[in-house]
Amino acid sequence: MREFSESYLSRTREGMWADSRAALEPLALDAHDRILDVGCGTGELSRVLAAESSGEVVGCDADPDLLAAAGEHVPVVAGNAFQLPFPDDAFDLVVCQALLINLPDPAAAVSEFARVSTDLVAAVEPDNAAVEIDSSVDAEGRLERRARRAYLDGVSTDVALGADAREAFEAAGLEVSETRRYDHVRTIEPPYGEPALVAARRKATGAGLADDRETMLSGPLTEAEYDDLRGSWREMGRTVIEQMEAGEYRRTEAVPFFVTVGRHP
């Protein structure tokens, strides 16, 4: 399983449900008393589940540091997705967010979710191959597509799982009742907050690509192609900073997520 830092999870998950929680309607949160959030990370989804449900929400993650952060908001238990530390039928809803895309065998994890759920199993998974970028810097969208393609070619799990999560559900013997798409849109525009400024600096230094270098070079991308991409990336980042200084930079990123819900036949 791929591992992530607390800052990465907070940055990528925080705010996803701030503008709308309509995609969670198929989970029928009001009808469930015991809810498990597997791979809860720092607890962003756990907090939403707790706010929307009158039942008890429990977070579960294999990383003790992430679990400590989640534990500030909901009860937590250490464990991994393939061997959950709970008896059969311990919950009536088991849910995960952006977890299956990071697992080598999503169907095995979903089977384990089904073991501990008496009713529903749900997954909120992105299609990272279908991210759309609209930027005031002409080169940004093109370079992000190029970098994303290299990353997808090198990563060992299906980070573009998205709506195809239903296949893991069916392989686990669950009947899929619904797959609902939700586009998570992140916008950067003046006045720029600190996260936007940090992101711009990381582009200008190439730090973001450096973090993914090993993964990108695991695919067909060559060292020379990576160096060329990083050089263009840094130049693009400097243009982003210039536009920010002039108050002209704008960027919209749309990440499609799919909420897949299944139950025992």
Side-chain angles (χ1 to χ4, degrees):
M1 176 179 171
R2 297 162 65 209
E3 296 182 358
F4 301 97
S5 67
E6 181 175 340
S7 61
Y8 174 87
L9 288 177
S10 297
R11 184 172 70 251
T12 55
R13 293 184 177 183
E14 188 175 14
M16 178 176 171
W17 304 107
D19 54 343
S20 173
R21 297 179 179 180
L24 293 177
E25 290 176 1
L27 276 60
L29 293 175
D30 287 343
H32 294 97
D33 298 321
R34 290 271 292 164
I35 302 172
L36 176 65
D37 179 11
V38 184
C40 64
T42 48
E44 279 72 23
L45 178 59
S46 299
R47 278 175 270 177
V48 171
L49 297 173
E52 298 293 320
S53 170
S54 58
E56 180 183 12
V57 176
V58 177
C60 181
D61 202 283
D63 188 314
D65 293 331
L66 302 180
L67 208 60
E72 297 178 4
H73 307 281
V74 298
V76 295
V77 177
N80 75 69
F82 298 110
Q83 293 180 311
L84 294 171
F86 305 105
D88 295 356
D89 303 331
F91 301 89
D92 50 15
L93 168 61
V94 177
V95 61
C96 67
Q97 175 180 339
L99 174 67
L100 301 183
I101 60 169
N102 298 310
L103 298 180
D105 190 349
V110 174
S111 293
E112 182 68 352
F113 300 172
R115 179 186 67 81
V116 302
S117 176
T118 61
D119 188 17
L120 296 187
V121 173
V124 183
E125 300 293 330
D127 180 350
N128 286 307
V131 177
E132 295 184 358
I133 304 293
D134 183 17
S135 172
S136 58
V137 175
D138 293 338
E140 186 168 13
R142 172 177 53 80
L143 289 172
E144 292 225 11
R145 286 191 295 272
R146 185 177 163 192
R148 187 177 304 110
R149 184 70 267 162
Y151 182 83
L152 291 172
D153 288 343
V155 75
S156 60
T157 61
D158 187 1
V159 295
L161 186 68
D164 293 336
R166 69 178 298 122
E167 297 177 6
F169 278 61
E170 291 166 351
L174 296 175
E175 291 183 349
V176 175
S177 58
E178 183 170 357
T179 297
R180 179 175 296 196
R181 176 170 174 158
Y182 167 73
D183 288 337
H184 178 38
V185 179
R186 295 187 287 235
T187 301
I188 297 175
E189 59 186 5
Y192 308 113
E194 184 60 23
L197 297 173
V198 170
R201 289 193 290 268
R202 285 174 60 81
K203 287 184 173 74
T205 61
L209 286 190
D211 289 345
D212 294 331
R213 180 179 183 276
E214 183 177 349
T215 298
M216 296 172 77
L217 290 176
S218 297
L221 191 76
T222 66
E223 291 268 6
E225 289 170 335
Y226 170 82
D227 290 341
D228 176 70
L229 173 59
R230 192 174 183 210
S232 299
W233 190 271
R234 293 172 68 182
E235 181 179 351
M236 176 267 290
R238 290 191 290 270
T239 304
V240 168
I241 290 176
E242 290 172 1
Q243 288 195 6
M244 280 185 157
E245 290 173 345
E248 297 173 350
Y249 179 65
R250 286 170 173 77
R251 167 194 162 100
T252 301
E253 176 185 69
V255 183
F257 277 79
F258 294 83
V259 181
T260 302
V261 181
R263 58 170 22 105
H264 294 282

